[in-house]
């Protein structure tokens, strides 16, 4: 998505309302004390604070300048936390092993998942707050989807937690879940075969035919489709959405050894689909724009507030900073 289009979208900062819940989410992640963690869309810093108690290296990235200033005040004495202002869709990731945690606006979910899963060096794990329907789409459950097929060879998807809408401030207009995207090792499809795989499943799945046999016939021709189904031992009468990932992978393994003239028939399928997706209207969490968040709500995110919970959390942050300085 272009920067201009992203700027035109209504934004909202649906931050976690309870730091104890943030701590629970971080506890569900498999983080080590020395892991490098990117908190994308840090917002109020609830996840950042919980991550700082779990690991010693956290990079919090936030686009909103007002929130960036609050984050820097909040974590200025915590050596393990670095706050950066920037667009999470434009940030660059390091070459070494790293983990991502993100509570992004739902309108950029697809772009963010694509950025993470297609990165030259993908994260070992990505823990994301997603709209429930989006999580189901990426997981391919209860039925297969093109979005799931495009990441399944390289990432597994698992829901770790289901939120209540009141867990966020402001509350979103849809249900949300906490998802783990785990990088497979070894992958089910080699990276050098990625383009062919993506073109194949995109062209076949997007053929809009009621059966797998019909979709393959429309894409490759009747004879090559029949041969492919027979060699892959796949039931061609199944709807494409009812064929699981293992079935699609068997089809692809047979397809990659097909004659070049047959493989050429799916060329550019993924690129064409990306162009179509770029024109689709994004689905938002809520129609409350980020600018509508009043100063009272922002104040509860500021650690200078006098609430007992905030004071306790400030003490914890100072303790983390002190421990880090002693270790150095």
């Amino acid at each position: 998505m272009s920067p201009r289009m992203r700027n035109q979208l209504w934004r909202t900062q649906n931050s976690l309302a309870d730091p104890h819940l943030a701590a629970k989410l971080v506890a569900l992640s498999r983080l080590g004390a020395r892991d490098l963690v990117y908190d994308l869309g840090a917002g109020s810093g609830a996840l950042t604070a919980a991550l700082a108690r779990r690991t010693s290296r956290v990079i919090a990235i936030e686009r909103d300048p007002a929130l960036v200033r609050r984050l820097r005040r909040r974590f200025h004495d915590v050596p393990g936390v670095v706050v950066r202002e920037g667009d999470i869709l434009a940030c660059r990731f390091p070459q070494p092993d790293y983990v991502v945690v993100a509570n992004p606006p739902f309108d950029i979910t697809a772009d963010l998942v694509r950025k993470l899963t297609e990165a030259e060096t993908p994260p070992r794990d990505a823990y994301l707050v997603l709209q429930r329907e989006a999580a189901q789409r990426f997981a391919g459950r209860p039925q297969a989807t093109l979005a799931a097929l495009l990441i399944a060879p390289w990432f597994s998807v698992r829901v770790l937690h289901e939120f209540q809408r009141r867990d966020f401030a402001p509350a979103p207009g849809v249900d949300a879940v906490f998802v783990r995207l785990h990088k497979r090792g070894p992958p089910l499809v080699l990276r050098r075969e990625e383009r062919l795989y993506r073109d194949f499943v995109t062209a076949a799945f997007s053929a809009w035919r009621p059966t797998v046999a019909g979709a393959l016939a429309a894409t490759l021709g009747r004879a090559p489709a029949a041969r492919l189904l027979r060699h892959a031992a796949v039931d061609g009468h199944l709807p494409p959405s009812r064929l699981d990932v293992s079935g699609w992978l068997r089809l692809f393994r047979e397809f990659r050894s097909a004659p070049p003239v047959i493989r050429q028939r799916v060329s550019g399928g993924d690129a064409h689909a990306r162009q179509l997706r770029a024109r689709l209207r994004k689905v938002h969490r809520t129609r409350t724009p980020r600018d509508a968040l009043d100063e009272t709500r922002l104040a509860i995110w500021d650690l200078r507030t006098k609430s007992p919970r905030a004071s306790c959390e400030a003490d914890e942050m100072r303790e983390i900073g002190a421990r880090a300085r002693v270790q150095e």
Side-chain angles (χ1 to χ4, degrees), residues 95 104-105 118 139-140 155 159 172 222 235 238 247 265 296 303 310 328:
Q95 292 300 317
E118 298 179 14
F155 282 83
V159 173
R222 288 186 178 276
D235 182 0
L238 287 173
R265 292 175 184 174
T296 301
L303 280 184
E328 291 178 347

Side-chain angles (χ1 to χ4, degrees), residues 64-227:
D64 189 310
L67 295 179
V68 169
R69 290 192 293 271
R70 288 172 171 82
L71 288 168
R72 285 174 174 163
R73 286 198 297 268
R74 180 173 184 176
F75 298 106
H76 77 278
D77 61 347
V78 183
V81 175
V82 175
V83 178
R84 295 179 182 171
E85 181 178 346
D87 185 346
I88 62 177
L89 294 179
C91 68
R92 295 184 177 182
F93 298 120
Q95 292 300 317
D97 185 46
Y98 66 98
V99 177
V100 164
V101 177
N103 177 21
F106 285 174
D107 60 302
I108 65 169
T109 293
D111 292 326
L112 180 60
V113 171
R114 191 174 300 115
K115 174 183 176 66
L116 297 175
T117 57
E118 298 179 14
E120 183 177 350
T121 305
R124 183 187 76 224
D125 283 297
Y127 296 92
L128 310 176
V129 178
L130 301 180
Q131 183 178 347
R132 183 193 302 276
E133 288 78 5
Q136 292 172 339
R137 187 167 68 252
F138 290 120
R141 291 186 291 270
Q143 61 184 15
T145 65
L146 180 57
L149 292 175
L150 291 176
I151 65 173
W154 301 280
F155 282 83
S156 63
V157 182
R158 180 187 174 193
V159 173
L160 302 181
H161 178 79
E162 297 183 357
F163 294 101
Q164 301 293 322
R165 297 187 184 187
R166 63 176 178 273
D167 291 335
F168 300 92
V174 295
D175 294 328
V177 293
F178 190 57
V179 170
R180 180 193 187 198
L181 274 71
H182 176 63
K183 184 171 67 175
R184 298 185 188 274
L188 304 180
V189 173
L190 298 178
R191 281 292 180 182
R192 66 172 178 267
E193 298 176 335
E194 178 180 2
R195 177 175 296 181
L196 182 63
Y197 171 82
R198 295 180 68 89
D199 283 345
F200 171 71
V201 297
T202 300
F205 202 89
S206 303
W208 300 109
R209 297 296 191 274
T211 65
V212 174
L216 291 175
T219 304
L220 307 176
R222 288 186 178 276
R227 186 163 49 251

Side-chain angles (χ1 to χ4, degrees), residues 274-292:
R274 287 172 186 256
Q275 292 173 356
L276 294 178
R277 285 196 298 267
R279 302 191 190 108
L280 295 178
R281 181 179 177 85
K282 302 297 181 179
V283 178
H284 311 301
R285 284 189 192 190
T286 170
R287 279 310 198 186
T288 305
R290 181 180 297 183
D291 293 343

Side-chain angles (χ1 to χ4, degrees), residues 7 10-15 39-45 60-73 83-88 105 288-295 298 301:
N7 289 336
W10 283 45
R11 297 288 184 179
T12 183
Q13 196 73 23
N14 298 89
S15 293
D39 183 358
L40 302 183
S44 66
I61 300 178
E62 172 56 47
R63 184 176 184 178
D64 189 310
L67 295 179
V68 169
R69 290 192 293 271
R70 288 172 171 82
L71 288 168
R72 285 174 174 163
R73 286 198 297 268
V83 178
R84 295 179 182 171
E85 181 178 346
D87 185 346
I88 62 177
T288 305
R290 181 180 297 183
D291 293 343
L293 297 181
D294 55 65
E295 288 300 319
L298 290 175
W301 295 343

